[in-house]
Every structure is written in structure tokens, then in C-alpha cells.
Amino acid sequence: MAINGLRCWDAAGNLMVDISDRLGRILGVLTTGGVDGSVSNNGFLQGMPFFVVTALGNIGSAANLPTSVTVSGNTLTWRYQSVVPADCIIHYGVF
């Protein structure tokens, strides 16, 4: 029998997680307030960064969402170009 680090099955016996799977880790959640900004977190240096942007309320148009969200080193930065920027939540983490 092979030695495995981690395996998880559901109630039906289906393999759901294996040691070769990439599992994400949430580093934080922020609210943009509809203004440009950035946040630093050394956790970004521990894996492949990801982020999810969710608008709060009626945005009116997709053009009101942040037009640029990037991660460079340990810093996540977001920028708007709209004159009516939408307040958003950004969940961020690493794989």
C-alpha cells in the first residue's frame, strides 16, 4: 500500500482532496470604499496569489468596478478609472 500525506473522501466514498491538490488559503478581506488603494501582506510571498472582487450593491455598470487589481511582491493594489466607482469587497489569498 502506498503512503499518502492527505486524502479526504466524501460520504459516498469519492476522493475529494489528495495531497497533489492545490488548496487556497484566504489571507484577508477588505472593502475598497470606492477609492484606489493597496494592502501589504507577506503571505503573498508564500504561494501563487489570487483575488476575487465582489461589488456591494447596485454598481450601475461594470465600468464602475476597479479597472486594475494586481499583486506585486507582497502588495495587492486596486485602481479605478470611473467617475462613479463602486464600493467593492476583495477577498485575497494564495494557492
Side-chain angles (χ1 to χ4, degrees):
M1 180 174 186
I3 298 173
N4 296 293
L6 172 70
R7 284 191 170 175
C8 299
W9 290 266
D10 66 10
N14 299 307
L15 182 63
M16 301 302 293
V17 176
D18 196 337
I19 194 68
S20 62
D21 292 338
R22 293 184 70 155
L23 303 175
R25 179 169 48 106
I26 297 291
L27 297 174
V29 179
L30 61 88
T31 303
T32 66
V35 297
D36 296 349
S38 65
V39 63
S40 294
N41 188 312
N42 286 332
F44 285 126
L45 305 175
Q46 299 173 351
M48 185 175 69
F50 71 87
F51 54 85
V52 178
V53 179
T54 307
L56 292 172
N58 185 357
I59 63 169
S61 166
N64 297 333
L65 296 173
T67 55
S68 170
V69 181
T70 59
V71 177
S72 179
N74 71 339
T75 304
L76 176 122
T77 303
W78 62 95
R79 305 239 183 272
Y80 289 90
Q81 290 185 349
S82 172
V83 295
V84 186
D87 191 11
C88 297
I89 293 176
I90 301 178
H91 292 79
Y92 58 91
V94 291
F95 285 108

